[in-house]
Amino acid sequence: MDKRKSISHHTCECACKAKKQYCIQTVPIFQSLTAEQMGKVHSLIHRKQFFHGEMIYRPGEIADSFYFLKSGKLRVYRLSETGKEQLVRMVNQNEFTGELALFKKGVYEAFAQAQSDCSICAIRHEDFRELLLEHPSISIEMLGAITNRLSTSEQQTAWATTETVRNRLLHFLMSLVDSAEKEPIVELNMAKKDLASYLGTTSESLSRELTWLEKEKIIEEIAYGKFKLLNIL
């Protein structure tokens, strides 16, 4: 193990024990728990710190924990047989990953990499399964989150197999629009190279399409990674 990684994990495990009560306080799937129940969950948590670029897990590694992101950002991706990267999703603050192996003993099937310095709350699978049995409300909230992920994944697959790069990009931008906002302004939650991977294209193709959409006054980049949608709604 990388020396810096080992030190960071040890330091966080020791220094953050006193802060453990805050680890999942803002995670949506736990919001239905009482203070007492939340305290029981806290007792099962292990805090870990990862630096930008470090791997949280890799394909083939024993899947033994469920991860909640306290701060930072993770990218979950797969590699094809030819070595081409396919971004599965970005994991943001208060979201989770490692759920696919939760109900079966197995190995991780994707890569999870820190996109920035990250603070992570980990719960062993066995402990988390017991929590789900004791508190069905967590199961219901988690099922809703996983259902949304499945829907997004199916949509991503449909875009990649039936749409042009331009249409994939437009669909993605429209999916970010907040209907409560007066103006259709969206901000990418990932780097453009990651968006290209997510949409199943290359960075060059993505940049070319963004340039053409701006020239055609369909979108306007008002800040880096922030766009105003002009004529696509």
Side-chain angles (χ1 to χ4, degrees), residues 180-196:
E181 296 294 331
K182 293 182 179 180
E183 288 189 305
I185 294 177
V186 300
E187 189 166 1
L188 301 183
N189 60 357
M190 64 186 80
K192 289 180 181 179
K193 65 180 183 62
D194 289 323
L195 177 56

Side-chain angles (χ1 to χ4, degrees), residues 24-74:
I24 59 169
Q25 193 168 341
T26 55
V27 176
I29 68 173
F30 294 114
Q31 294 307 295
S32 62
L33 298 184
T34 65
E36 182 179 355
Q37 293 168 338
M38 189 78 75
K40 182 175 180 179
V41 177
H42 291 317
S43 69
L44 304 174
I45 288 173
H46 302 278
R47 291 284 295 270
K48 299 185 178 183
Q49 190 76 22
F50 292 86
F51 291 104
H52 176 233
E54 287 187 318
M55 296 304 246
I56 288 76
Y57 56 78
R58 303 170 184 268
E61 292 183 348
I62 299 299
D64 62 352
S65 295
F66 194 61
Y67 298 100
F68 302 92
L69 189 59
K70 178 59 178 174
S71 64
K73 183 176 290 187
L74 305 178

Side-chain angles (χ1 to χ4, degrees), residues 95-114:
E95 295 180 343
F96 58 81
T97 188
E99 73 280 2
L100 292 181
L102 182 60
F103 300 105
K104 63 178 182 179
K105 293 182 179 179
V107 297
Y108 294 114
E109 299 178 351
F111 296 87
Q113 183 181 37

Side-chain angles (χ1 to χ4, degrees), residues 84-86 156 160 165 168 194-202:
K84 184 179 179 180
E85 180 182 305
Q86 174 65 58
Q156 180 187 13
V165 173
R168 291 177 224 170
D194 289 323
L195 177 56
S197 175
Y198 182 79
L199 296 177
T201 187
T202 63

